[in-house]
Amino acid sequence: MNRTFADVLPSSSATGHLAELAPLNRADDLLVLLTRWVERGWLRALDKAFVAFLHELAPNDDPLVLLAAALTSHQLGHGHVCLDLFETLKEPDFALSLPPEGDVHGGAMLPSQLLASLDGAHWCKVLAAGSLVALAVDTSEAAQQRPLVLSGKRLYLRRYWAYERQIDHALRQRLEVHEAAPSDLPQRLTGLFGTAGSGDVIDWQKLACALATRGAFSIVTGGPGTGKTTTVVRLLALLQAPAVEAGQPLRIRLAAPTGKAAARLTESISQQVRTLKVSEDIRNKIPCDVTTVHRLLGSRPGTRHFRHHGGNRLPLDVLVVDEASMIDLEMMANLLDALPPHARLVLLGDKDQLASVEAGAVLGDLCRDAEAGWYSPQTRQWLESVSGESLAASGLQEDTQGSHPLAQQVVMLRHSRRFGEGSGIGQLARWVNQQQPDEARKLLAARSHGDVFSVSLKSEQDRALERLLLEGHGGGPQGYRHYLSVLRNQRPASDTALDDVRWMDWARQVLQAFDAFQLLCAVRKGPWGVEGLNVRVTEALLRARLIDSDQQWYEGRPVLMTRNDYGLGLMNGDIGIALKLPERDGPEAGKQVLRVAFPRNDGQGGVRFVLPSRLNDVETVYAMTVHKSQGSEFAHTALILPDALNPVLTKELIYTGITRAKDWFTLIEPRGGVFEEAVKRKVKRLSGLMLELKGDSDLAD
C-alpha cells in the first residue's frame, strides 16, 4: 500500500513542537517541520523560504511536492544539480546532513524517519500531478512556466534543468561535427613529438593532439605533471600551422576559472611556446595571455548575465579552457551559449580534483569513461594510423556498440613527469585517489620518502604546529619564516627611488618566496579552519618578531582576493603581500608607506602595487581552503585536517590538497583516523548530464 505524506507526518500529539498546530493543514505542518530542520542545521533557511514561496503559489498541491522541492533546493546548495528520488529513499541520510551525535531529534522528526516511510513510484506520481511540476517531455507554454521539472526519477529546479539540457544539446551538436584533419597530420605530429617509440610507453599527449584536430569539442584530462599544458601548446601549433600557411590564422583564446589559474597557465605557455619547433610566423600566432572565464564572457556586475551570449558570440575560432574541473553547470552553459558554432572547444583539467564550488561536476560527468577509454574500433584505428602509436597493450575498453560517443573525443594523460615512480607525493596521491587509506598510511608512516611528512598533534595547544608553520622541516622544506626573511634581507636601501627597478625585483622575490609554502585547510570555521589558523599564525609570527604588528594592515601581510575587481585588474584568488615602499612625491616624499604587491600574471614576472585602502574584498591568507588553492601550486604544501569527520572531507579534497605540492607535502592531523575516513569517502554529485549524453533511459525503476 502506498503511503502519503499525511500518513507518515506525526500527529500533533507526537511532538511537542507541533502540539499547537493541530488545526493547520498538512502543508502547514510540513512548513513547521522544515523550520525545525533549519533550527537543527539539517536544512538551509533558504530552502525553507523557497518552499514557503511555492506553497503560496500552489496552496492546494500535495505536501509531498513541497517536501521534494525542499530537498531539491538543499541538494543544489550541496553541489547537486537535481534530486534523485529513488537514490534519496535508498539513502535518506544522503539527502540531508546527519544530526549531531547525542542530539537525535529534539522534538522534530528526523529526515530519515520521514523519507523511510515513502514509496518512490508513488512520490513520482504525486509530483507528476502537481501544478508546480512540469514533465521533462512536456514542451507546452504552460509547462514552461512551472518552477520544477521532473525527468523520470530526477527532480530539478527549472533553471538547472535548462542549463543541463543546454549543455547536452550543445555537446551533441559538437560531437556530430567532424573536422577535416590536415592530410599531412602524421608528419606534423612527428615534427612536434618525434617518431613513435618501440617500447610499451604510449605517448598519450600525441594521441590527445591528434584527436582534437578532428572534432569541434575535445577533453584532455590527467593528473599533475602529466603534461596537459605541454599538450595544449603543441595542439595549438598543430591547429595554427596549416591556417597560417593558408594565410588565414586562427583566432585563439585561452581561459581559466580563476586569476591564479590564468596566471599559472600564462607563465607556463609563455615558456613552452618559446621552445616550440615551429617557424617564427606560427609561434607568433600562438597566444600566451590567459584570461578568466568571467572576463572572457564579459561579466556584468550585479547580474548573472554576460556581454557574450547566443546573440553576441565570442569572436574566436579556438577556445582552450584550463582547470575545467572548477567550472560549474551554469558557467559551462553560458560558455557554450557564447561559443560560435564553428569554433573548437578544448577543455583541460584533472577529473579527480574537487568539483566546482557551485552546483555541478561537469568535467567529472564528461570524463566518467576516461579511465577505461571506450574508443570505438574506428577511433582506435584512426589514432594508430596518424600517430604511429599502438593501443594494443593499452588495456582500454573497446566500444563496439557505439554507445560512448563522448569518449571518442576524450584523452586521459597517464604518465606524470612531475611525480615519478620514486615520488612520495605521487604515490600518496595515487593511493588516495584509489581510496586505499591503509596503503596511504603505510607510506606516511614509513618516512622513506624525503618529500612526504606527517605531523600528529597532541592537543589543540601543541606548539609543534607553530614550529612547522614558521620553520618547516629541518634541512628540507621551509615555513613562513622564509618569505619574511627575504622581505627583510633583500630590501633595497631606504634612499632608493620608487621608480628604481630594484623595488620591483624585491617585490617579485618576496612573492615567489611566499609561494614556497602554503597551509591548506578543509574547512573555514573552528580551530582547524582558515579563520582560526590565520589568527594563530599571525600571533605566532608576532611572537617570533617576524612581523611588527597584528593589526589589519602590516608589512608582510599576505592577502587573498575573494572577489573579482575589474577596476584594479585583480581576480578572485590573486595573492598579494603588503610591503613598505617610499612615497613617490609630495611633502611625504621619501617616507615609506604600505602598498600591496600583486603579480601581474603576464608571464613576464611583472608586479603591480595597490594601496590597501583600495582593497575591499581581501582576507589574510596564511591559511586557505583546499577549494581556493585549486589552480595553484606551492613548493611545500601542508594540509591540516579537522579533528572530526566533516561532510567536505572526501578523497577528492585530500587528493587536491596533496597535488598542490611541487616538492614537499606535509599532512597535519589533530586526531587520528580522520584521514582514513576521508579517503574512504567519494564526492557524489547527482546530475543527468552524462546519462543524457550516453542515451541511457531516464525512467524510474
Side-chain angles (χ1 to χ4, degrees):
M1 177 177 136
N2 294 330
R3 304 185 70 193
T4 67
F5 181 80
D7 295 323
V8 300
L9 190 70
S11 65
S12 52
S13 61
T15 73
H17 283 304
L18 296 178
E20 68 216 34
L21 300 169
L24 298 182
N25 62 40
R26 292 307 192 188
D28 286 322
D29 286 348
L30 171 64
L31 290 173
V32 172
L33 185 62
L34 295 184
T35 300
R36 302 293 170 244
W37 289 1
V38 171
E39 290 170 354
R40 313 312 291 175
W42 307 340
L43 199 70
R44 299 178 303 170
L46 175 66
D47 307 323
K48 192 260 178 181
F50 174 61
V51 171
F53 169 70
L54 294 182
H55 181 44
E56 288 181 13
L57 289 180
N60 297 320
D61 262 25
D62 194 299
L64 279 176
V65 176
L66 300 181
L67 175 65
L71 298 181
T72 303
S73 176
H74 177 273
Q75 293 288 72
L76 190 65
H78 285 72
H80 303 284
V81 174
C82 59
L83 175 75
D84 187 311
L85 299 169
F86 284 77
E87 188 77 25
T88 299
L89 295 182
K90 275 194 297 184
E91 299 181 67
D93 289 328
F94 174 64
L96 292 172
S97 305
L98 287 169
E101 291 181 17
D103 183 13
V104 181
H105 42 81
M109 173 179 264
L110 291 173
S112 55
Q113 289 176 316
L114 181 55
L115 293 170
S117 303
L118 300 181
D119 174 78
H122 177 69
W123 202 2
C124 284
K125 187 176 179 181
V126 170
L127 286 167
S131 65
L132 294 166
V133 182
L135 297 179
V137 294
D138 188 348
T139 58
S140 67
E141 187 174 338
Q144 302 301 311
Q145 305 306 312
R146 295 179 179 179
L148 302 170
V149 177
L150 182 65
S151 177
K153 60 182 181 178
R154 299 192 305 276
L155 184 68
Y156 295 80
L157 301 191
R158 172 163 293 282
R159 181 149 54 90
Y160 287 87
W161 161 255
Y163 291 147
E164 197 170 89
R165 294 308 94 233
Q166 190 177 335
I167 294 171
D168 175 69
H169 178 69
L171 293 185
R172 281 179 184 274
Q173 285 189 317
R174 291 185 171 279
L175 290 173
E176 291 172 0
V177 175
H178 299 288
E179 302 283 353
S183 58
D184 58 350
L185 180 59
Q187 291 80 9
R188 292 183 183 274
L189 286 169
T190 298
L192 288 167
F193 291 92
T195 55
S198 57
D200 296 331
V201 178
I202 298 170
D203 192 337
W204 295 102
Q205 294 184 19
K206 184 191 286 190
L207 296 180
C209 284
L211 215 53
T213 64
R214 69 171 199 166
F217 174 67
S218 56
I219 299 175
V220 181
T221 186
T226 52
K228 296 186 291 294
T229 307
T230 302
T231 302
V232 81
V233 168
R234 293 179 182 179
L235 170 60
L236 295 180
L238 198 61
L239 295 174
Q240 190 66 286
V244 169
E245 291 161 7
Q248 297 178 316
L250 299 170
R251 297 168 298 171
I252 300 173
R253 295 296 303 274
L254 310 171
T258 67
K260 190 73 173 179
R264 271 192 57 211
L265 189 60
T266 296
E267 186 174 357
S268 182
I269 286 184
S270 298
Q271 293 170 354
Q272 298 207 30
V273 166
R274 288 195 288 267
T275 62
L276 266 179
K277 296 178 181 177
V278 294
S279 70
E280 202 63 28
D281 287 346
I282 296 169
R283 183 180 288 109
N284 290 337
K285 294 298 182 181
I286 299 175
C288 299
D289 293 335
V290 184
T291 186
T292 63
V293 175
H294 276 86
R295 176 166 277 180
L296 175 78
L297 292 176
S299 177
R300 289 179 171 174
T303 76
R304 308 182 85 100
H305 305 297
F306 295 92
R307 189 162 52 86
H308 290 290
H309 45 74
N312 180 30
R313 309 273 190 173
L314 289 162
L316 52 79
D317 303 305
V318 179
L319 175 62
V320 176
V321 181
D322 194 22
E323 297 289 353
S325 63
M326 300 167 67
I327 298 181
D328 60 80
L329 191 81
E330 180 177 0
M331 182 56 75
M332 185 61 76
N334 284 320
L335 196 60
L336 288 166
D337 186 43
L339 209 59
H342 76 276
R344 296 178 194 260
L345 174 63
V346 181
L347 300 181
L348 304 178
D350 185 345
K351 68 179 181 63
D352 296 314
Q353 272 192 198
L354 278 170
S356 59
V357 175
E358 303 299 329
V362 178
L363 189 71
D365 287 344
L366 300 181
C367 289
R368 280 191 191 135
D369 291 333
E371 197 91 36
W374 288 110
Y375 296 134
S376 68
Q378 294 85 355
T379 297
R380 288 175 72 124
Q381 182 181 1
W382 183 83
L383 279 173
E384 291 181 340
S385 67
V386 299
S387 70
E389 302 287 327
S390 172
L391 292 173
S394 66
L396 299 182
Q397 299 286 333
E398 194 166 356
D399 178 18
T400 57
Q401 305 297 318
S403 57
H404 296 77
L406 178 60
Q408 311 313 304
Q409 288 303 120
V410 178
V411 174
M412 178 175 169
L413 307 181
R414 298 160 193 266
H415 303 303
S416 176
R417 289 157 176 80
R418 187 199 303 174
F419 303 134
E421 290 303 315
S423 164
I425 296 174
Q427 288 185 37
L428 184 63
R430 284 190 287 274
W431 288 131
V432 167
N433 205 23
Q434 294 168 16
Q435 295 187 279
Q436 299 286 334
D438 294 338
E439 296 298 330
R441 175 59 68 191
K442 286 178 189 174
L443 190 150
L444 287 166
R447 299 183 180 273
S448 55
H449 296 277
D451 60 347
V452 171
F453 305 86
S454 65
V455 175
S456 297
L457 302 179
K458 297 180 177 64
S459 69
E460 190 176 320
Q461 288 74 39
D462 192 335
R463 292 298 177 187
L465 178 60
E466 276 83 353
R467 288 195 297 273
L468 167 67
L469 299 182
L470 270 59
E471 310 297 340
H473 298 283
Q478 297 167 308
Y480 286 126
R481 180 184 290 274
H482 172 58
Y483 92 93
L484 291 166
S485 297
V486 171
L487 185 156
R488 293 193 174 190
N489 299 333
Q490 306 298 324
R491 182 196 303 275
S494 58
D495 59 352
T496 306
L498 180 61
D499 56 4
D500 192 300
V501 71
R502 281 176 287 184
W503 289 112
M504 188 79 70
D505 291 341
W506 171 63
R508 185 185 307 112
Q509 289 171 351
V510 175
L511 287 165
Q512 289 172 349
F514 185 78
D515 275 349
F517 178 70
Q518 182 64 55
L519 175 64
L520 302 182
C521 304
V523 295
R524 287 196 61 84
K525 305 289 185 182
W528 311 114
V530 166
E531 293 175 4
L533 285 165
N534 272 322
V535 171
R536 186 165 175 175
V537 174
T538 303
E539 291 173 348
L541 292 171
L542 188 63
R543 282 196 303 272
R545 298 184 178 180
L546 293 171
I547 56 175
D548 55 17
S549 171
D550 60 355
Q551 299 307 305
Q552 182 180 12
W553 286 106
Y554 54 86
E555 185 171 43
R557 182 193 178 197
V559 293
L560 176 78
M561 291 292 298
T562 58
R563 189 177 300 178
N564 293 340
D565 188 324
Y566 295 104
L568 293 176
L570 296 172
M571 299 292 110
N572 185 2
D574 283 354
I575 291 177
I577 297 176
L579 301 173
K580 287 182 180 176
L581 290 95
E583 185 63 274
R584 185 182 298 276
D585 47 35
E588 301 293 325
K591 179 183 176 182
Q592 292 198 328
V593 295
L594 276 180
R595 283 186 170 83
V596 184
F598 286 92
R600 281 195 177 275
N601 302 336
D602 56 3
Q604 308 298 317
V607 177
R608 75 186 71 191
F609 297 103
V610 181
L611 286 170
S613 58
R614 299 190 66 191
L615 297 172
N616 299 315
D617 300 303
V618 295
E619 62 184 23
T620 302
V621 70
Y622 293 118
M624 72 165 68
T625 61
V626 175
H627 267 104
K628 282 285 188 183
S629 74
Q630 287 180 271
S632 302
E633 59 182 20
F634 309 94
H636 178 200
T637 297
L639 172 64
I640 189 165
L641 301 180
D643 58 359
L645 204 56
N646 182 291
V648 305
L649 286 173
T650 60
K651 69 106 171 174
E652 286 85 358
L653 181 134
I654 305 291
Y655 169 84
T656 303
I658 293 169
T659 54
R660 297 312 89 205
K662 288 191 294 185
D663 303 313
W664 301 282
F665 172 76
T666 300
L667 177 69
I668 307 172
E669 299 177 275
R671 184 171 74 80
V674 174
F675 172 78
E676 283 81 358
E677 289 301 315
V679 172
K680 292 176 186 175
R681 298 168 63 183
K682 191 177 189 301
V683 168
K684 184 177 184 180
R685 287 201 167 178
L686 299 177
S687 84
L689 183 60
M690 197 61 184
L691 300 177
E692 293 294 336
L693 282 170
K694 295 173 78 170
D696 292 353
S697 171
D698 193 32
L699 298 176
D701 298 333

